[in-house]
């Protein structure tokens, strides 16, 4: 990993494949000079103006590659805070490859994944948590995930962590004053007040580290459709997705692999798992499918247990699901096949995947799960982990203060908490961590 940023790097910033245009990005002290070697503006000779788009010819030596647009953004007014040049060319595999080859021949090095954003971080334009939010924003596939990444990019997580750090530093200053001047600060009430502040801050961090809420925002809600064969699982999946995804037959045991499909509700993504019907079977392939069903169910956020209203003697909810602690909703299917005045079970929702009756009730059930989600300033797993660690160090500091141990004990835990929080925004990081974070990026970002 190049932390010195001496090379000028280049990469295609748009997704590969034929497209109207592709964008190639160059960053580093030689960006403008390298662009000058491969790009000739059609008119306007001389130095390119900052931030102005020029039409011209892209070429590799004497050979023309494409007609394109190019722009120069000079340091520090650029994404990386270095000199940056961008080329908008036709998005064919041919022109992109030829352009990158020409740039390499002119002295640029192909960029590593995330290297542009790494430079933005190393040059202090964004902190580490903001760099990670760039990645989340690129990957966001629903409104909530996108909005939450944008909040983080605008410094939401950094602000929250900054406030926690300020409080921590203020507590630490008092604890250290007591270490340095024990005769002046020897008030037991003071120790209690400090312990109280440690606990309050610890609670605030624990509160912010809500894993479930963060995961639902990032990945959406996962619901496993479970039930005996022919309950109508595949039909319900197709009805909710509005497409013909799963094979539906009246032959029991049709679904064997776990099938998934997603849709968006209230800005969240919902992923449904259609599974093999659960029953005793001698068919080896079907049994493997049932194993997968259990695995999918136990990884989901909720289970819908489907029962055919017209099939009396319904199957029992399997033990493994009942004891898993997952929320289970009973869904009674094939409502359209009952006479209109037939009594309905009251412990679940009755639906018909064929007429669409009751599907709105299922969606309302999902909406109410989303409505209960707390707002959370931290959505990345790494940040949640760090916040929890810092919260537990703060608890230990509070305990040390409660037990009237020497103030040094509390100070050790407080320093540990401060260091852990610093890791979120990247004040305390090592190269390994940077490697891990940025290697998950795509090339060109
Ligand atoms: N009339 C009616 N038939 C349904 C409904 N849902 C499923 N079926 C039928 O019941 C059979 C089994 O459905 P399927 O979705 O394959 O059940 P699975 O084994 O649980 O996936 C098929 O013949 C479906 O057409 C429904 O709501 N109304
Ligand atoms: Mg099925």
């Amino acid at each position: 990993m190049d932390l010195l940023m001496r090379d000028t790097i280049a990469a295609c910033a748009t997704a590969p494949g034929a497209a109207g245009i592709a964008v190639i990005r160059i960053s580093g002290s030689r960006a403008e000079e390298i662009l000058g070697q491969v790009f000739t503006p059609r008119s306007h000779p001389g130095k390119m103006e900052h931030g102005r788009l020029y039409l011209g010819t892209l070429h590799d030596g004497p050979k023309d590659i494409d007609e394109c647009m190019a722009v120069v953004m000079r340091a520090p007014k650029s994404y990386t805070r270095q000199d940056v040049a961008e080329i908008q060319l036709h998005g064919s595999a041919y022109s992109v490859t030829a352009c990158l080859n020409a740039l390499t021949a002119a002295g640029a090095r192909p960029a590593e994944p995330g290297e542009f954003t790494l430079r933005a971080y190393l040059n202090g334009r964004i902190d580490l948590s903001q760099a990670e939010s760039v990645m989340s924003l690129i990957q966001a596939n629903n409104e909530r995930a996108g909005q939450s990444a944008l909040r983080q990019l605008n410094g939401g997580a950094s602000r929250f962590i900054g406030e926690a750090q300020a409080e921590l530093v203020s507590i630490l200053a008092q604890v250290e004053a007591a270490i340095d001047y024990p005769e002046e600060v020897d008030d037991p009430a003071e120790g209690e007040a400090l312990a109280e502040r440690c606990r309050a801050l610890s609670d605030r961090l624990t509160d912010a580290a809500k894993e479930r809420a963060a995961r639902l925002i990032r990945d959406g809600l996962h619901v496993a459709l479970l039930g005996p064969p022919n309950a109508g699982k595949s039909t319900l999946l197709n009805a909710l997705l509005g497409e013909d995804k799963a094979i539906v037959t009246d032959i029991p045991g049709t679904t064997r692999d776990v099938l998934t499909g997603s849709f968006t509700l209230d800005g969240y993504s919902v992923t449904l798992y259609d599974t093999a019907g659960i029953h005793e079977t001698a068919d080896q392939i079907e049994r493997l499918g049932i194993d997968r069903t259990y695995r999918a169910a136990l990884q989901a956020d909720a289970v819908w247990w489907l029962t055919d209203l017209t099939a009396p003697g319904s199957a029992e909810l399997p033990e493994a699901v009942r004891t898993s602690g997952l929320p289970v909703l009973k869904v009674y299917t094939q409502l359209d096949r009952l006479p209109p005045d037939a009594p309905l079970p009251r412990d679940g929702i009755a639906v018909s995947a064929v007429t669409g009756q009751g599907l709105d009730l299922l969606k309302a059930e999902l909406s109410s799960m989303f409505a209960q989600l707390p707002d959370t300033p931290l959505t990345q797993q790494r940040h949640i982990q760090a916040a929890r660690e810092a919260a537990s160090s703060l608890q230990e500091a509070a305990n040390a203060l409660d037990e009237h141990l020497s103030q040094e004990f509390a100070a050790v835990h407080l320093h540990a908490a401060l260091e852990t929080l610093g890791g979120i925004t990247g004040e305390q990081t090592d190269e390994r961590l940077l490697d891990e974070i940025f290697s998950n990026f795509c090339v060109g970002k």
Side-chain angles (χ1 to χ4, degrees):
M1 184 184 249
D2 169 24
L3 299 181
L4 298 175
M5 303 184 276
R6 280 190 292 230
D7 294 342
T8 293
I9 53 174
C12 184
T14 41
I21 59 165
V23 175
I24 287 178
R25 196 181 239 175
I26 310 161
S27 176
S29 54
R30 294 184 57 204
E32 196 170 351
E33 175 235 322
I34 289 173
L35 177 71
Q37 292 186 52
V38 303
F39 174 73
T40 309
R42 182 158 298 174
S43 43
H44 310 288
K47 203 171 158 75
M48 288 170 71
E49 266 178 58
H50 172 95
R52 179 169 167 188
L53 213 47
Y54 290 82
L55 174 67
T57 309
L58 183 68
H59 47 83
D60 190 354
K63 193 176 105 199
D64 286 356
I65 299 171
D66 198 356
E67 188 173 78
C68 70
M69 310 279 281
V71 59
V72 168
M73 288 160 277
R74 295 198 179 85
K77 290 186 169 175
S78 72
Y79 182 68
T80 58
R81 279 204 175 156
Q82 298 185 304
D83 282 349
V84 165
E86 284 181 9
I87 302 173
Q88 298 179 5
L89 66 167
H90 291 110
S92 75
Y94 155 72
S95 36
V96 168
T97 309
C99 179
L100 288 172
N101 286 342
L103 290 169
T104 312
R109 162 172 73 72
E112 305 281 338
E115 199 167 3
F116 293 94
T117 307
L118 172 67
R119 289 184 172 196
Y121 160 67
L122 291 173
N123 284 326
R125 198 177 78 80
I126 50 175
D127 72 23
L128 200 53
S129 94
Q130 289 171 309
E132 288 169 297
S133 69
V134 171
M135 181 68 179
S136 306
L137 195 51
I138 293 172
Q139 289 177 339
N141 60 3
N142 65 73
E143 184 183 341
R144 296 290 156 161
Q147 288 293 318
S148 132
L150 193 60
R151 260 202 309 278
Q152 196 187 328
L153 180 59
N154 291 332
S158 319
R159 223 169 3 255
F160 173 78
I161 294 301
E163 283 162 15
Q165 282 170 317
E167 168 69 356
L168 192 45
V169 167
S170 146
I171 298 173
L172 194 52
Q174 294 217 18
V175 169
E176 293 199 326
I179 296 172
D180 293 343
Y181 308 102
E183 58 293 337
E184 281 169 44
V185 193
D186 192 18
D187 181 358
E190 179 115 351
E192 269 169 44
L194 283 174
E196 207 37 62
R197 281 173 71 187
C198 288
R199 265 190 289 271
L201 183 55
S202 171
D203 289 348
R204 203 152 18 113
L205 288 168
T206 308
D207 237 25
K210 289 200 188 74
E211 200 155 8
R212 185 176 145 80
R215 209 173 51 70
L216 289 188
I217 289 171
R218 267 194 335 256
D219 307 330
L221 185 76
H222 294 227
V223 179
L225 309 186
L226 254 55
N230 273 351
K233 300 176 292 295
S234 300
T235 311
L236 183 62
L237 173 101
N238 289 343
L240 284 168
L241 294 184
E243 60 177 296
D244 226 1
K245 186 142 189 164
I247 299 176
V248 170
T249 72
D250 54 7
I251 304 165
T254 306
T255 308
R256 290 168 175 205
D257 279 326
V258 176
L259 251 175
T260 66
S262 302
F263 62 97
T264 303
L265 185 70
D266 301 344
Y268 290 92
S269 105
V270 179
T271 304
L272 301 176
Y273 290 73
D274 180 23
T275 62
I278 293 175
H279 69 129
E280 291 298 328
T281 174
D283 181 325
Q284 208 191 342
I285 301 174
E286 205 187 348
R287 227 169 23 216
L288 289 175
I290 294 174
D291 281 349
R292 287 187 184 196
T293 292
Y294 281 117
R295 259 179 280 142
L298 297 179
Q299 280 166 16
D301 301 298
V303 167
W304 287 353
W305 178 250
L306 273 66
T307 309
D308 179 354
L309 278 168
T310 65
S314 64
E316 286 280 312
L317 182 67
E319 176 80 15
V321 178
R322 196 154 33 92
T323 54
S324 66
L326 287 169
V328 176
L329 175 69
K330 287 193 177 164
V331 179
Y332 294 97
T333 59
Q334 322 212 5
L335 179 57
D336 57 290
R337 290 174 60 206
L338 279 194
D341 51 355
L344 294 176
R346 294 168 170 275
D347 61 344
I349 293 177
V351 301
S352 163
V354 170
T355 63
Q357 218 180 330
L359 295 187
D360 53 338
L361 296 177
L362 281 181
K363 288 188 180 165
E365 193 70 27
L366 293 170
S367 289
S368 78
M369 291 181 91
F370 293 135
Q372 287 163 17
L373 282 182
D375 221 11
T376 170
L378 303 180
T379 45
Q380 308 261 353
Q381 194 52 39
R382 190 181 75 82
H383 303 170
I384 288 173
Q385 193 61 36
R388 286 215 181 117
E389 252 171 59
S392 116
S393 296
L394 277 159
Q395 281 297 347
E396 296 201 40
N399 294 344
L401 289 164
D402 280 344
E403 290 164 21
H404 303 291
L405 299 174
S406 149
Q407 305 269 10
E408 268 104 350
F409 285 100
V412 167
H413 295 301
L414 292 171
H415 275 291
L418 199 56
E419 192 167 319
T420 311
L421 288 185
I424 295 183
T425 44
E427 293 150 45
Q428 323 263 348
T429 48
D430 61 20
E431 197 173 331
R432 260 188 335 232
L433 175 67
L434 293 182
D435 232 3
E436 195 175 303
I437 291 173
F438 287 97
S439 60
N440 287 322
F441 271 67
C442 26
V443 174
K445 192 63 210 179

